[in-house]
Structures are given as structure tokens and as C-alpha cells.
Amino acid sequence: MSLWTSLDPASATVDPGGSTTVRLRLRNTGDVVDEYHFEAVGALAPWTVVEPRSLRLYPGTTGTVRLDVSPPRTPDAAAGPHPYAVRITPTEHPEAATVPEGVITVTPFEEVRAELVPPVVKGRFRGRPRLAVDNLGNVKVTASVNGSDNGDQLSYDLRPGNVQIEPGRAAFIETTLRPRRITWFGSSEQRPFTLAVRRSGFTPLDVEGTYVQRAFAPRWLAACLGVLTALAITFVMLWIAYKPQVLTAATEQLQQAGVSTLPPEPKPTQEAPKAPPAASAPPVAAEPRQESGTGGGGGSGQKESEPPKKAPERTAATAVRELAAKDPDGRHICYRVYVKDKGWTQPACDDEPAGTPGSGAQLTAVNVSAAGTNGTTGGAYVPDPASTKGEGHYPDPWTNAADGVDHYLGSTDDDAPYLMGFSISVNRGKDAVCQSSYVHDDTWLGLACDDPNSGFAFTYVGTHDNKLWIEAVRLKV
């Protein structure tokens, strides 16, 4: 085969979301008519369109093929130079294919999205939302995060404060909010705050949230304590002012009568009569022993009573099937938790609490079942001793369960690790599920829901701190 080729231009630059055109010129330098087939190869091949796909040339004639390269504006189109090539296969001699090469440089772009989960947190002494930062660009992003609010009413503990995110990946920043002044009595107060994601050369990306600070005690309790304190002080003052004088003549009258107030001396007791000898006691007839079955002497025996049968275990699937029978067209979710060294709790459904909040008890497993949601998907999140950042991990692959079927996350073994949390979704992430958890040494976290339309196809229940665990959960669909 004799063929001459040329790429014009051999090097080009293209923006993600845009396109560039390269022309391939070729000449049949042989002495026979031949037809050539063209195919884009290399990293940019999925985004390259060759037109036409084949070309027939007579000897000594020249043809032109157009290559349109259109990388998408996504993290898949990595920034930097990318070699590209076109495989030319002649029909007459397919074994003599040729591959002219060039270079196309994809320009970088940065796009960052941030979301606060949940956007509203409640607590008396602290709140713990999470900030999810997604890198939707095609280059690595380095960012820092800080918090602010009007009046400097909150303090912020951000871990980590600086992140590096690869293209197409996300980073989670654990945020701890603490009020600078504790509200002892009164109603809850809303304190708006802002978390700013800062990058060099870009305008900060602000994410707004609200911390609802609860009072330590309600206002009516302060009023009651004030009234009780005033009554106590009034009573003491009246007692001191009008203390009654109590006089008695009992001692003087006893002395005149010659009566002693000492207890009388005990009199010698008579000896108790001895029991009669054993021989004089009448013999006691032994009760006949009852045996099961019929005896050989013609008497009928009585069967021993059987032990009562143990009631079947009431699981999450049992409870959700009962709800589905009453409400066939509704959506329900039931769940129960396994408390370490105590066992399973009774099932709870549709935002009811399951567990023992505030007890310090550790949960090692969760049993979930749903109705009207096309099934559940999830995985258990437990401590990772090998983590250098103090975070946990998913030790097992995520599992699925159909509607009305028990779905178990975690383990009930004696040496099972405690649950830092678990992930849960319904209908393969196409529908929303809401959750709240009670974290040890904390309080109920705010109710958070996944949003499939925004890219979050599951919701996470719990904490990311290796040293903490969940004590109770609430779910609803």
C-alpha cells in the first residue's frame, strides 16, 4: 500500500463543552483504486466524530476527512494534552493499516458545589452538620473552609479546615457549632450562620445554615422556681418572727409520783416445753407419684403439661406488613436496633424513636423494612482502627432488600463493633428517605433527607468520628 497522510493542525486546543476540528488529508500514491476506512483511537476517541467514515480514492488523487473533537464539560475530560490518532485501514490491504497521530490539549476549568447536611441543626450546647464539597471540574481543587455569623454568637470547629479534591470526587467536612453564650431559661433561638468555601483566585462559595439553640429549661420553670423560692423565704422569716414557745411539766410530775422512766427489768422466762419424741408422731402418707401415660394396673395416667410455646420474634418486616395491610397505598418504614449486651428493641415505625437515647448504650446492628418504596439499600459504617483521620469505613458491601423483607445492617456478634452510623436509600435512590440519629454524648441531630434530584441518592444516619456511636434512630419515607 502507498499512502500519504497529513493532519492539519497536528496540535490543537479545545475547551470542555466546546469543540475543535482537525482535517486529515491523504493521497493514494499507489497504482490501484482503493477504499479507506477511518476510526478514531486514543483517550479522546469517545468524543471524536469522523466524517466521512470511508473514502474511495483513485491513484494519484487526494481526499480530506474531518475530525470533530467535542470533550464534555465534566470531570471525565481531564485537563492537559491528550494524544489522539486515526486508524486508516485500506480495503485492498487491511494488514497495512496506518495510524497518523496528533495532540489535543483540553483546557482546565473549575466548578465546585457545596451543600450543608442538614441545613438546620438543633442543640443546647452544640450542633454537628456536615459540609459536602463536590469537585465538578477537571482539575484538582484546593480549598479552605471557615465559618461566620452575625454578632459572633457561635464558635466553629471544622475538621479538616483545608481539603484537596480530585476531579469528580467529594470531600466531607465535619462541623461542630458551639454557642458562645448558653441560654438557661426561655424559648429556642435561631442563629443563622455561613460556611465559606474559599479558593485562590475565586469568589468564596457561601453555604448558609441555621443553628437552633434550645434553652436549658423552659421559661415557665424559671417562674415556678422564683415563686417557690419566694415562698420558702417568706416561710422562714415568719417562723423566725413567730416561733412558738413549747413548755412541758412531764418530768416534774414523774418525780413527784416516784415513777421511773427506765424500762422494767425482764422477768425470767419459763423453759419452753420440749417436742414429743419422733416415735409418737403419726406417720405421714406419701402422695402418689403421677406419671404420664396409662399404667399397667388399669388406672389412667395424666399427661404432664407441655411448656408454653415461645412467641415468634417481632421484626421490622412484621411491623411494616401490618401497616401495609391497613394502608395498602401508603409508604411506610419500620426499624429496630440491636443494643449491645441487651438485644433487639421493639420495632418502631415512621419517625418513631428506636433505641435508648442518652443511656450511653452502643448499637451494633439495625433491622429495617419498608412498604410501598420498591425496597431498601444500605450498609453499616463502623470504626476503622487503621484510619489516620479518625474516621470509620464500610467493612461490607451494601445490600438490598425488597418491600416487606427484613434488611439487616451490622452484626449481633458479641465482639461486633459499634455502629457509628449507616447509609440507607429506597427505590435504588430514586425516592427520598429522611433520618435523624441520637449520637453519644450529644443530642438528636436534625431531620435530614436525601435528594435524588441533586445527586444525593442516599442519606447517612450517624457520625463520622471513630470515638462516637449512635444510641437511637428515627426514619420516615
Side-chain angles (χ1 to χ4, degrees):
M1 181 196 73
S2 298
L3 182 66
W4 172 85
T5 62
S6 174
L7 288 172
D8 183 26
S11 299
T13 300
V14 62
D15 296 327
S19 64
T20 187
T21 301
V22 177
R23 299 186 184 277
L24 170 65
R25 299 180 60 197
L26 67 161
R27 180 186 299 118
N28 183 358
T29 59
D31 52 2
V32 296
V33 178
D34 208 342
E35 184 176 6
Y36 305 94
H37 299 274
F38 309 98
E39 179 186 5
V41 294
L44 301 180
W47 309 315
T48 303
V49 177
V50 181
E51 186 66 30
R53 300 299 300 271
S54 62
L55 190 64
R56 185 179 181 86
L57 295 178
Y58 287 89
T61 61
T62 302
T64 302
V65 176
R66 176 174 175 172
L67 306 176
D68 292 325
V69 183
S70 305
R73 190 177 175 84
T74 64
D76 296 332
H82 297 273
Y84 74 96
V86 181
R87 180 184 292 113
I88 305 174
T89 305
T91 302
E92 295 296 331
H93 301 281
E95 73 282 355
T98 182
V99 184
E101 298 181 356
V103 176
I104 290 182
T105 301
V106 178
T107 60
F109 78 96
E110 290 192 13
E111 184 176 348
V112 175
R113 184 180 66 181
E115 182 178 2
L116 197 61
V117 183
V120 179
V121 292
K122 301 178 181 180
R124 292 180 175 84
F125 305 107
R126 61 184 169 184
R128 288 182 171 175
R130 287 187 302 156
L131 181 65
V133 183
D134 295 293
N135 182 6
L136 304 180
N138 63 352
V139 294
K140 181 188 294 186
V141 169
T142 300
S144 62
V145 181
N146 57 15
S148 61
D149 60 273
N150 293 331
D152 195 24
Q153 298 174 337
L154 302 174
S155 64
Y156 304 85
D157 181 12
L158 306 174
R159 294 177 296 172
N162 297 277
V163 292
Q164 287 188 342
I165 313 173
E166 296 292 336
R169 305 298 297 271
F172 291 90
I173 299 174
E174 300 292 338
T175 305
T176 301
L177 310 174
R178 289 186 175 87
R180 299 187 183 276
R181 181 179 58 85
I182 297 176
T183 303
W184 294 104
F185 298 98
S187 58
S188 300
E189 298 181 7
Q190 294 189 357
R191 307 196 184 279
F193 65 92
T194 301
L195 297 182
V197 181
R198 301 182 180 276
R199 296 172 293 154
S200 178
F202 291 87
T203 303
L205 177 61
D206 293 336
V207 182
E208 297 181 351
T210 303
Y211 173 65
V212 179
Q213 184 179 355
R214 296 171 173 171
F216 186 79
R219 189 183 302 276
W220 62 264
L221 182 59
C224 291
L225 290 177
V227 172
L228 292 176
T229 303
L231 291 176
I233 294 175
T234 302
F235 177 77
V236 172
M237 296 301 294
L238 292 175
W239 175 264
I240 294 175
Y242 300 100
K243 181 178 181 181
Q245 300 294 328
V246 179
L247 300 176
T248 178
T251 302
E252 181 180 357
Q253 293 176 358
L254 289 174
Q255 291 177 355
Q256 292 177 357
V259 179
S260 175
T261 59
L262 297 177
E265 295 182 359
K267 298 180 180 181
T269 58
Q270 297 180 354
E271 184 179 359
K274 297 181 179 180
S280 63
V284 179
E287 295 182 0
R289 181 180 178 183
Q290 296 181 354
E291 297 182 357
S292 61
T294 58
S300 62
Q302 184 180 2
K303 292 185 179 181
E304 296 181 355
S305 60
E306 297 180 355
K309 294 183 179 180
K310 185 178 180 181
E313 183 180 11
R314 181 174 171 81
T315 66
T318 308
V320 84
R321 285 197 294 265
E322 294 173 355
L323 292 178
K326 299 177 182 178
D327 183 17
D329 298 329
R331 290 160 48 90
H332 303 281
I333 185 168
C334 295
Y335 41 91
R336 58 176 183 157
V337 296
Y338 189 87
V339 184
K340 191 175 183 65
D341 299 330
K342 293 184 179 180
W344 288 105
T345 63
Q346 289 298 320
C349 301
D350 299 335
D351 204 27
E352 297 177 345
T356 52
S359 65
Q362 299 175 348
L363 308 185
T364 63
V366 178
N367 172 209
V368 183
S369 186
T373 65
N374 197 23
T376 58
T377 303
Y381 194 77
V382 300
D384 182 8
S387 174
T388 59
K389 298 181 180 180
E391 299 177 349
H393 68 140
Y394 293 96
D396 303 313
W398 287 20
T399 54
N400 306 306
D403 275 355
V405 177
D406 282 311
H407 193 182
Y408 291 92
L409 308 174
S411 173
T412 59
D413 295 340
D414 293 339
D415 57 349
Y418 56 76
L419 285 179
M420 296 170 59
F422 61 93
S423 295
I424 187 74
S425 66
V426 296
N427 195 14
R428 302 284 182 168
K430 298 178 182 178
D431 294 332
V433 57
C434 302
Q435 58 80 22
S436 179
S437 61
Y438 190 98
V439 178
H440 174 64
D441 197 24
D442 202 342
T443 183
W444 281 104
L445 303 182
L447 191 68
C449 308
D450 59 334
D451 185 1
N453 296 326
S454 66
F456 287 90
F458 68 92
T459 186
Y460 178 74
V461 188
T463 178
H464 284 264
D465 193 334
N466 253 340
K467 299 178 182 179
L468 299 178
W469 57 87
I470 55 175
E471 298 179 5
V473 299
R474 292 159 42 203
L475 299 174
K476 71 174 184 178
V477 293

